[in-house]
């Protein structure tokens, strides 16, 4: 089980959006990590810090790839579909394929919604 | 719905990272930010799962930084792994120095690094002071970090 004090100092410190040099809140990252599986028991203090950096790289990369799709479509607004296209075009993003095609907020793509919604141009 | 948001990375942070990497005139739809939020969250779960499996196999209870680096590489994010390994070593170096300095000066926080795989209590002040570790890993002008075998 969790050791008292091992993580609390690192992660409790007023992470109300303010994360010091990290662009993503460490406590949230740790929560997501813990939720990822039952066998995730203990997490060292450095792991969320590394993920803060890794996620930043990930978001930057996926955003750039998505933007390339936007440009190809001669548009200036990055849409959900551009992210989906970028995922489809990249092998190592296979783990996201279901996520981008099952997305529940389908305002950009009314066709996916089962109930009749007002069509959006 | 609010509970759902708790399980994702905050959309404000995600949106900011997205905005910073694009040109100033680029616009991002709300749904695109939400999708990215979900993708990045899934990325954490995915990599953590892989790292956790390794720990289980090796009968270790704690997922540490090396496991994350290994998992990144194992899942195809080689370029990230490289950058993160450097980041990790730099981080540990800073931690060691900080720990060494603690013995000299009387700092308000006590910090013990028990072994290389555990990093103990680090109060928020220390995190904020550690701005020096922030260094550019990605050259923005460069192409992709994803290894995409054709």
């Amino acid at each position: 089980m969790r050791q008292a004090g091992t993580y609390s100092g690192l992660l409790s410190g007023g992470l109300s959006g303010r994360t010091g040099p990290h662009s993503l809140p460490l406590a949230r990252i740790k929560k997501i990590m813990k939720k990822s599986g039952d066998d995730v028991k203990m997490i060292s203090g450095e792991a969320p810090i590394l993920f803060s950096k890794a996620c930043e790289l990930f978001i930057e990369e996926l955003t750039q790839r998505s933007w390339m799709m936007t440009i190809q479509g001669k548009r200036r607004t990055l849409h959900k579909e551009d992210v989906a296209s970028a995922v489809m075009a990249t092998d190592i993003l296979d783990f996201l394929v279901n996520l981008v095609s099952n997305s529940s907020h389908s305002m950009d793509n009314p066709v996916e919604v089962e109930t009749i919604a007002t069509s959006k141009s | 719905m609010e509970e759902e948001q708790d399980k994702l990375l905050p959309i404000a942070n995600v949106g900011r990272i997205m905005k910073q990497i694009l040109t100033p005139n680029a616009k991002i739809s709300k749904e695109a930010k939400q999708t990215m939020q979900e993708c990045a969250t899934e990325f954490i779960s995915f990599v953590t799962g892989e790292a956790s499996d390794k720990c289980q196999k090796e009968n270790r209870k704690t997922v540490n930084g090396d496991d994350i680096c290994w998992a990144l590489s194992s899942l195809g994010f080689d370029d990230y792994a490289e950058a993160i390994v450097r980041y990790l070593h730099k981080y540990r170096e800073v931690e060691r120095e900080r720990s060494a300095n603690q013995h000299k000066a009387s700092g308000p926080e006590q910090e013990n690094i028990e072994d290389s795989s555990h990093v103990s209590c680090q109060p928020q002040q220390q995190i904020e002071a550690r701005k020096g570790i922030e260094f550019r890993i990605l050259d923005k002008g460069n192409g992709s970090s994803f290894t995409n075998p054709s």
Side-chain angles (χ1 to χ4, degrees):
Chain A
M1 285 300 152
R2 213 196 272 205
Q3 286 175 328
T6 305
Y7 314 113
S8 55
L10 172 67
L11 300 171
S12 69
L15 292 169
S16 50
R18 285 258 137 251
T19 57
H22 306 296
S23 53
L24 293 162
L26 301 177
R28 187 71 62 88
I29 291 173
K30 196 189 164 211
K31 204 183 277 194
I32 295 166
M33 288 180 74
K34 293 225 88 166
K35 218 183 136 264
S36 71
D38 287 332
D39 12 288
V40 182
K41 294 184 177 69
M42 287 172 62
I43 301 168
S44 86
E46 50 193 18
I49 289 172
L50 295 187
F51 261 125
S52 172
K53 194 43 107 175
C55 283
E56 195 181 328
L57 299 176
F58 174 83
I59 292 167
E60 286 177 345
E61 183 75 37
L62 185 50
T63 300
Q64 284 175 314
R65 284 178 172 263
S66 305
W67 181 248
M68 290 193 317
M69 304 296 168
T70 310
I71 294 295
Q72 276 176 30
K74 295 185 170 54
R75 288 175 281 110
R76 281 262 170 258
T77 302
L78 200 160
H79 282 295
K80 179 165 73 78
E81 288 79 14
D82 300 319
V83 181
S85 302
V87 164
M88 301 304 176
T90 314
D91 284 349
I92 59 166
L93 299 183
D94 273 356
F95 71 99
L96 294 173
V97 162
N98 285 334
L99 187 66
V100 295
S101 52
N102 289 346
S103 182
S104 57
H105 19 264
S106 41
M107 291 290 277
D108 288 345
N109 200 358
V111 190
E112 285 176 356
V113 180
E114 285 179 336
T115 59
I116 307 296
T118 51
S119 59
K120 202 174 182 302
S121 58
Chain B
M1 273 308 150
E2 300 233 340
E3 285 166 0
E4 290 283 313
Q5 286 302 307
D6 232 26
K7 316 224 160 57
L8 300 174
L9 291 173
I11 198 166
N13 302 58
V14 172
R16 195 178 313 129
I17 296 169
M18 291 176 80
K19 200 158 183 276
Q20 281 171 354
I21 201 75
L22 295 178
T23 55
N25 66 333
K27 290 181 170 47
I28 307 168
S29 81
K30 187 180 173 205
E31 288 77 16
K33 287 184 199 175
Q34 286 170 331
T35 302
M36 187 63 70
Q37 192 190 14
E38 291 171 2
C39 288
T41 303
E42 186 61 31
F43 172 71
I44 295 174
S45 298
F46 186 51
V47 175
T48 301
E50 185 80 354
S52 173
D53 282 351
K54 182 176 200 275
C55 287
Q56 270 219 303
K57 288 196 179 90
E58 296 174 3
N59 280 320
R60 283 184 292 112
K61 288 203 181 102
T62 307
V63 177
N64 64 30
D66 292 308
D67 298 322
I68 302 299
C69 294
W70 178 88
L72 285 169
S73 202
S74 166
L75 294 168
F77 301 98
D78 298 300
D79 296 312
Y80 294 3
E82 251 180 79
I84 295 300
V85 161
R86 290 198 297 270
Y87 191 67
L88 177 62
H89 290 155
K90 184 99 184 161
Y91 171 82
R92 284 178 175 163
E93 195 183 299
V94 170
E95 286 306 297
R96 276 195 294 271
E97 282 170 19
R98 200 167 290 281
S99 177
N101 287 336
Q102 291 285 337
H103 293 305
K104 293 174 192 169
S106 52
E109 306 96 19
Q110 252 186 338
E111 186 178 273
N112 296 313
I113 297 179
E114 289 152 335
D115 62 66
S116 61
S117 61
H118 285 78
V119 177
S120 316
C121 185
Q122 287 161 52
Q124 181 65 14
Q125 301 95 303
Q126 288 200 330
I127 296 169
E128 301 205 328
R130 205 177 300 123
K131 287 195 200 291
I133 208 174
E134 173 93 10
F135 64 102
R136 296 306 297 164
I137 291 171
L138 274 185
D139 178 40
K140 279 191 181 179
N142 251 350
S144 59
S145 298
F146 286 152
T147 316
N148 198 1
S150 49

